[in-house]
Structure formats: C-alpha cells, structure tokens
Amino acid sequence: MRGVHLDVAALTTAPVLCYHRIGGPLELGVTRVGRSVFARQMTALARAGWRTLSLDQFSKPLTSHLSPLTFLLTFDDGYASLAEHAYPILVDLGFTATTFLITDYVDVRYTWSRLPHLTWRQIEQWRARGFHFASHGATHRRLTWLAGEEVATELGRSREQLVERLGPDGGTAIAYPFGAVDERVVECARAAGYELGFAGVKGNSDRLHLSRVPVYTWDVGEVPFGLRHDALGVLGRVVAHAANRCAIGTSIMQLPKRRTSPLPESIAGAASTRA
Ligand SMILES: [Zn+2]
C-alpha cells in the first residue's frame, strides 16, 4: 500500500527522485548532496530491495513494473561531476538513472561558478552503459516567464539537439527548469514532441505534468523523503515543495543583465542554487 501522496500522478506512476549535483565543491545553495550521503542512500535503497527504472520502463503503467519498490532516479543540469561521483556508484549497485541536460551547456567546461558540465562524448559513453539522457531545456530559462515563441524555441531546440545526437529516444522527456510549468508550457512541450514532462513536487495526471521530489542538502537520511511513506516523508515533500518554489530567487538572478562575460547570459547568470 502506498502512503499519502500529494498528487494523483503518484498513484499511477512510480515515484521520481531528483538530485542535482553530487559531491564536488561546497556551495551556498541547497541542491548539492555529498558523495558519501548519496552513496549511503543508494546502497540503503538497494539493500531494502529498491530498483531503478529506465525512462522507458517508467513510461509504462505501474502494474507492469515487477516490484512496487521501483523508482525513477533523475539528475538535473548535467554536471560533469556526475560521471565521477554518482554514475560509478550506481553501476556497482545495478542502478540506472536519467539525466536531464541543459543542451546548450553540454561541452561547456566552465561557467562562472567553475562547474563543468558533461560533454557529448561522456554522455555517449554512459549511455552505452545503460544510462539515459533527456532535456532540461536549451538554456535553463524559467519557461512560465517566457513568451510563447521563446518557450517553443527552448523546448524545440533542446529536443532537436538530443534527437540529433542520441536518436529518437533522446527526445522523449523533459524536466522543466525549476519545475516551473503551466498549461501553456505543457501544450508547448506536447507540440514539440515530448511524451513525458517532469514538474515539481506537485504534478497531476497529465504525463507532461508529472510529479518529482527533489533531494536537497538536508535530506540526509538513508531513504530520501520522496520514497518515504511515513509522516516524515510527507513533511519532507512539503518542505521540498516550498524550497522548490523558493528557487524563484535563482530565476530572478537569471533575468537579462548586462553581459560581462563571453559566455551567453543564461550561462553566466546561472546560480549555484540552480534547480
Ligand atoms: Zn535545473
């Protein structure tokens, strides 16, 4: 029996965890999870019988999953440190994951925050080892704040890049930057050709508006809040929802500003608390 959930989608799909950065330099933001915490969480989940789903398995009805202890493990932003601190741990446990890439950032080694992103070469190598990659937009702009044409460009260009590099499978899913989505963005994603769309903690029954629970810095227990069915899990999801909404501060930092670096504004303005 599944516990209390915040939305309808959770009743028909497996739970989805969302990590951002694993290990590497400390930051002021809330999205970095230490390598040892991540390793402990994944090992505990594996020992408890949890298994990860591929994006394709996740897209099937819940009843087709072999075990109720299945979840979709996702990473946002595509930091290069995943290849060093996260993927090897998952390989050892027989886990897989889906990473949502900011497609214009792939191959960009350093932003102002000195955090490199995965390269296409790394992505292709890890894909060959059973990992999955999808879209997190072209430049990580908050889609709900953009004009319709800009939303279409962000979604369309990102999907085109992924399909061109990875084949049709690369264009299946999108995780909306900051989890920010509304009916208009959902329709744009549908028109662009996406089949699955991941929002914040609160989703609905639309496959392009699915729920996902972020794992933040304070979520250090063996079982992340997003997979707990007890009161602590419910509380943790409420807090994650609030923190996700607070990521609006990061968006404000990304509003157009005078260009001070040779990088595109959206890259130069990306804060370390990126969601
Ligand atoms: Zn993000």
Side-chain angles (χ1 to χ4, degrees):
M1 176 74 187
R2 289 179 168 264
V4 178
H5 287 276
L6 295 177
D7 55 59
V8 175
L11 299 175
T12 54
T13 61
V16 187
L17 286 188
C18 166
Y19 288 85
H20 292 79
R21 193 155 67 80
I22 307 298
L26 294 171
E27 63 179 31
L28 287 176
V30 298
T31 56
R32 177 191 176 277
V33 171
R35 181 194 163 105
S36 59
V37 170
F38 180 73
R40 187 157 45 82
Q41 288 177 337
M42 293 302 115
T43 304
L45 291 175
R47 284 195 184 135
W50 284 90
R51 291 290 172 263
T52 52
L53 296 168
S54 68
L55 199 54
D56 185 52
Q57 289 169 324
F58 173 83
S59 70
K60 306 275 190 328
L62 188 61
T63 48
S64 69
H65 302 155
L66 294 177
S67 156
L69 294 179
T70 54
F71 71 108
L72 184 70
L73 175 60
T74 70
F75 297 99
D76 276 9
D77 305 333
Y79 290 117
S81 59
L82 292 173
E84 187 182 349
H85 299 306
Y87 296 163
I89 291 168
L90 301 176
V91 168
D92 287 346
L93 295 170
F95 278 9
T96 185
T98 299
T99 302
F100 293 99
L101 303 166
I102 306 163
T103 48
D104 279 10
Y105 290 19
V106 176
D107 284 344
V108 173
R109 296 304 294 170
Y110 292 100
T111 65
W112 72 274
S113 61
R114 304 187 63 79
L115 292 174
H117 291 79
L118 291 167
T119 64
W120 284 116
R121 185 175 156 73
Q122 286 176 304
I123 289 163
E124 279 155 15
Q125 286 171 342
W126 285 99
R127 201 158 174 265
R129 299 182 73 176
F131 286 73
H132 312 274
F133 295 88
S135 172
H136 196 36
T139 63
H140 206 266
R141 298 174 78 191
R142 179 179 281 264
L143 300 173
T144 50
W145 288 1
L146 301 182
E149 210 171 278
E150 293 175 299
V151 177
T153 301
E154 276 287 316
L155 295 174
R157 188 167 86 231
S158 177
R159 186 169 183 277
E160 276 168 28
Q161 287 172 314
L162 285 159
V163 169
E164 188 184 314
R165 284 281 184 166
L166 308 178
D169 288 357
T172 305
I174 177 154
Y176 307 105
F178 311 99
V181 64
D182 55 23
E183 204 40 51
R184 187 181 59 115
V185 171
V186 163
E187 289 316 314
C188 270
R190 206 183 315 277
Y194 293 102
E195 296 166 30
L196 298 171
F198 295 92
V201 177
K202 291 192 176 181
N204 61 34
S205 57
D206 191 329
R207 286 162 66 82
L208 282 160
H209 196 158
L210 295 166
S211 157
R212 207 165 53 132
V213 183
V215 181
Y216 289 121
T217 303
W218 55 78
D219 196 347
V220 295
E222 289 199 340
V223 178
F225 297 133
L227 298 183
R228 295 179 69 113
H229 298 155
D230 56 8
L232 194 57
V234 173
L235 178 64
R237 288 195 285 278
V238 169
V239 171
H241 176 61
N244 198 205
R245 290 183 70 89
C246 288
I248 198 167
T250 313
S251 303
I252 290 168
M253 291 174 69
Q254 287 193 305
L255 283 175
K257 61 181 86 165
R258 211 171 42 176
R259 183 169 295 187
T260 53
S261 107
L263 288 168
E265 286 165 0
S266 53
I267 295 177
S272 59
T273 51
R274 191 192 293 155

